[in-house]
Structures are given as C-alpha cells and as structure tokens.
Amino acid sequence: MIRYYGQDMVDSTSNRFYYYCRPYDGKCEHVHMPLRDLAAAWDATKAIDYLGNCDGDRLAMKQSLRDSVRSTLEYYLKSLDYTEHIGLTLKGDVILEPVNIGHSALLMLAACNALELNIMVEDDINN
C-alpha cells in the first residue's frame, strides 16, 4: 500500500496528491477536493511515521510523502482567516466549497503531525 501511495498518488511536478488515479491505464489527476487533500496529508504523516528510519526505495517514498504533506499544508495554511464570530477558519474563496469544521480539524491534525515529524517548524505554521 505504501509503495502504491508513495509512487502513484503523488504528482512529482506539483508535490500534491492525486485523487483520480487508475494505475492500470496511467490516468491520474489532481482534483480540487480540500477535505481529501487534508485527509491525505494527515494519512501521509502516519505512513511517514510508520516508515521510520529506512533506506533505498522506502527512503525515496518517504521523501515524496514529506514533500507532498508540506506542499499541501503550505497551500491551506496560507488560506487561514480570522473572524470575530467564527475564529480561525479556511477562506471559502480558496477552498471553493462551504467551510466546515472538518477542514479545520484535518488541517490541525496534519499540521501537528508535520511538526512532530519535523516536516515543518512552528514558524512555517505561524506565518
């Protein structure tokens, strides 16, 4: 599963996760799906943690996943907005769908794991 996830589910040019992927015919696309994007970043942090210290092909997969997590989090962290009534949320004009608590929850889970795994540092998240 990690081999499939690491090699086929990451677009090497954008470092973003694919969501429409059929390896048997080679068709892959990154489709704008914020909840899946954030969930994939969180899942990837779990896979990175599972891989632990590794070498060879697994090290390359791990680095690809780290890059994808970082790219995904950077994209969504830049879209944070603070309003007095709601607090800190993602901007609807960036995620292009109604904002809900799932977006914020998955962003926090992925960001916390990224910090723990040294994929990002606090300054990356605070800026």
Side-chain angles (χ1 to χ4, degrees):
M1 182 208 122
I2 292 170
R3 183 171 177 80
Y4 174 81
Y5 189 59
Q7 289 184 344
D8 296 326
M9 295 301 287
V10 174
D11 177 0
S12 61
T13 57
S14 69
N15 284 329
R16 300 289 298 276
F17 296 101
Y18 288 126
Y19 294 109
Y20 182 71
C21 187
R22 296 187 318 211
Y24 55 87
D25 69 4
K27 184 169 182 153
C28 296
E29 299 175 24
H30 177 82
V31 180
H32 187 77
M33 296 181 185
L35 281 173
R36 282 191 180 182
D37 225 8
L38 292 165
W42 181 41
D43 287 345
T45 62
K46 295 301 184 185
I48 292 164
D49 190 33
Y50 172 77
L51 287 169
N53 294 326
C54 55
D55 55 7
D57 289 343
R58 285 187 164 202
L59 183 60
M61 273 185 277
K62 185 176 173 180
Q63 189 57 49
S64 176
L65 290 172
R66 289 176 68 88
D67 293 343
S68 298
V69 168
R70 185 174 183 82
S71 295
T72 300
L73 289 176
E74 284 174 345
Y75 177 80
Y76 289 104
L77 286 168
K78 288 178 186 173
S79 74
L80 286 174
D81 192 25
Y82 179 80
T83 60
E84 198 168 317
H85 292 24
I86 300 172
L88 197 59
T89 63
L90 294 165
K91 294 178 186 172
D93 62 333
V94 172
I95 63 171
L96 305 175
E97 64 186 29
V99 178
N100 67 55
I101 195 167
H103 296 106
S104 299
L106 289 168
L107 180 62
M108 287 191 311
L109 288 167
C112 287
N113 284 356
L115 285 171
E116 187 176 308
L117 295 167
N118 296 316
I119 295 169
M120 301 183 92
V121 295
E122 263 187 66
D123 287 343
D124 296 329
I125 292 174
N126 292 332
N127 292 330

